[in-house]
Amino acid sequence: MQLGLPEFDMIATDTVEEACSLFFGYGADAQLFAGGTDLFIKMKQRRLLPRMLINIKRIPALDRIRYDADEGLRIGALTAIQSIRDSTVIGEKFRVLSQAAGVLGTPQIRNLGTLGGNLANASPSAEFAPPLLILEASVRCVGPGGERLVPMNEFFVGPGKSVLSQGELITEVHVPDSPLRAQAIYLKHSLRTMDVSMAAAAALVLLDGDVCREVRIALGAVAPTPFRAGKAEEALRGKRLSGDSKDRALLEEVGRIAADESRPIDDLRGYASYRRKVVAMLVRQGLEQAIARARN
Ligand SMILES: Cc1cc2nc3c(=O)[nH]c(=O)nc-3n(C[C@H](O)[C@H](O)[C@H](O)COP(=O)(O)OP(=O)(O)OC[C@H]3O[C@@H](n4cnc5c(N)ncnc54)[C@H](O)[C@@H]3O)c2cc1C
């Protein structure tokens, strides 16, 4: 049965400082409201019953995308998924983020949902987590105690749990400039295109001639948190890629190692055994596509 929204109050703010202070002050009774695409569903399902919503959508400084070669890319927490998809600089220099934005939910969700909400929600299947992990991004958080920059691989601590403390909000995501000619791919597998992932993989490859100088692999929806598949990366880093059938065997092996590193569960979206098979396939395909792009 679909329930309506429970009763709540909403207060709007246009500064980060006031948002932190209100969020801290109301404590466990409050939730931040950005796009509301996750929050309202949880409220309708009575999984969250905040008495106060702190509307942060009017904080203009948090809705922007900036890039320069020294500082890299900065994406404000309130940037809509669709704006990430539409950004020229992201499309040209951080294409893997455009790919993730393009497969997140439906057009309505992409227009309302924000990057900050996607990360703060801390779902194991958060679309932006695997690409941001391979790009070695950091999350800027501001709270009553001040500001801190949390490396992406330390941000998630469990299903639905991040390092964010009471009163703390995400203000932006910082992505360092990618190594020249590194190529990255994001692949998602879900029952229907609008569904959240059953399994997802992001792969980054940097070639030096035929040698795989750097490789990064991150997985989503197949463990309590999104994570880097370090053993799979090790199996490929420094290896020579001959461009023939031996590469396929090597990449299949890397995919199998990544599948062994995953810890999927059985749920409505798929069985753990199936998800492991999907991981092996996504990792191999992602690496093949990244390598093909790197060779061009
Ligand atoms: C039909 C449907 C399909 C979806 N498909 C996908 C999908 O394919 N992939 C996917 O990853 N997600 C999907 N989602 C989930 C959701 O749309 C995204 O995670 C979205 O990015 C959430 O952003 P939001 O701004 O709407 O967050 P909100 O709902 O506003 O907030 C979510 C949570 O994050 C907190 N929060 C929000 N902003 C901040 C901030 N700046 N700092 C700290 N805390 C904050 C809120 O308090 C709340 O607890 C889907 C949702 C729906 C309803």
Side-chain angles (χ1 to χ4, degrees):
M1 187 175 63
Q2 179 70 50
L3 294 170
L5 280 169
E7 270 190 32
F8 62 90
D9 286 319
M10 188 181 286
I11 189 165
T13 173
D14 53 13
T15 68
V16 170
E17 295 70 28
E18 192 182 37
C20 290
S21 148
L22 287 166
F23 195 22
F24 189 69
Y26 281 104
D29 277 343
Q31 283 286 323
L32 297 174
F33 172 81
T37 59
D38 266 321
L39 184 60
F40 278 172
I41 297 233
K42 284 188 182 147
M43 288 171 67
K44 283 184 178 175
Q45 295 171 339
R46 305 301 191 259
R47 285 156 64 204
L48 273 181
L49 288 168
R51 297 220 325 258
M52 177 62 77
L53 298 189
I54 300 163
N55 184 344
I56 56 173
K57 288 166 89 161
R58 293 191 204 154
I59 308 180
L62 300 192
D63 182 6
R64 59 185 178 192
I65 296 170
R66 287 172 297 162
Y67 170 78
D68 79 58
D70 293 332
E71 302 248 320
L73 177 71
R74 285 161 197 275
I75 313 176
L78 287 175
T79 307
I81 314 298
Q82 190 61 43
S83 305
I84 295 175
R85 175 70 181 163
D86 293 343
S87 159
T88 308
V89 70
I90 292 179
E92 282 172 2
K93 293 188 176 288
F94 304 90
R95 195 172 148 268
V96 67
L97 293 177
S98 300
Q99 289 180 323
V103 294
L104 192 157
T106 60
Q108 292 93 326
I109 297 295
R110 292 195 283 275
N111 279 303
L112 283 172
T114 64
L115 176 61
N118 189 250
L119 299 180
N121 201 36
S123 163
S125 57
E127 213 76 69
F128 283 100
L132 289 172
L133 278 164
I134 60 164
L135 293 172
E136 301 194 330
S138 309
V139 184
R140 192 175 300 279
C141 310
V142 177
E147 185 176 291
R148 60 182 174 143
L149 203 55
V150 182
M152 201 61 223
N153 63 353
E154 295 171 16
F155 183 78
F156 301 110
V157 293
K161 293 198 181 86
S162 71
V163 295
L164 287 173
S165 57
Q166 188 60 53
E168 203 171 25
L169 60 142
I170 300 171
T171 54
E172 69 174 13
V173 172
H174 176 221
V175 188
D177 218 9
S178 295
L180 211 59
R181 297 196 55 76
Q183 295 294 336
I185 295 286
Y186 177 67
L187 296 174
K188 160 184 181 172
H189 181 71
S190 57
L191 281 181
R192 297 171 303 171
T193 37
M194 65 173 275
D195 288 344
V196 293
S197 312
M198 183 190 293
L204 175 146
V205 169
L206 177 66
L207 292 186
D208 179 1
D210 285 340
V211 175
C212 179
R213 193 56 64 208
E214 177 58 328
V215 52
R216 299 176 195 162
I217 299 166
L219 303 177
V222 289
T225 63
F227 69 102
R228 284 272 294 270
K231 289 182 185 154
E233 292 176 359
E234 259 333 288
L236 186 57
R237 192 172 288 118
K239 293 275 162 50
R240 185 168 293 282
L241 295 161
S242 46
D244 59 24
S245 59
K246 283 190 203 137
D247 287 357
R248 167 97 185 191
L250 173 60
L251 298 182
E252 273 176 356
E253 176 61 9
V254 174
R256 267 195 298 274
I257 296 171
D260 285 347
E261 287 185 81
S262 67
R263 287 179 289 146
I265 53 167
D266 293 332
D267 69 11
L268 283 174
R269 278 177 267 148
Y271 289 113
S273 53
Y274 177 66
R275 289 174 129 143
R276 277 206 186 83
K277 287 189 177 135
V278 174
V279 166
M281 179 195 72
L282 293 179
V283 168
R284 176 184 54 76
Q285 287 181 349
L287 289 169
E288 278 172 356
Q289 290 177 27
I291 290 165
R293 287 181 63 88
R295 284 196 193 280
N296 282 330

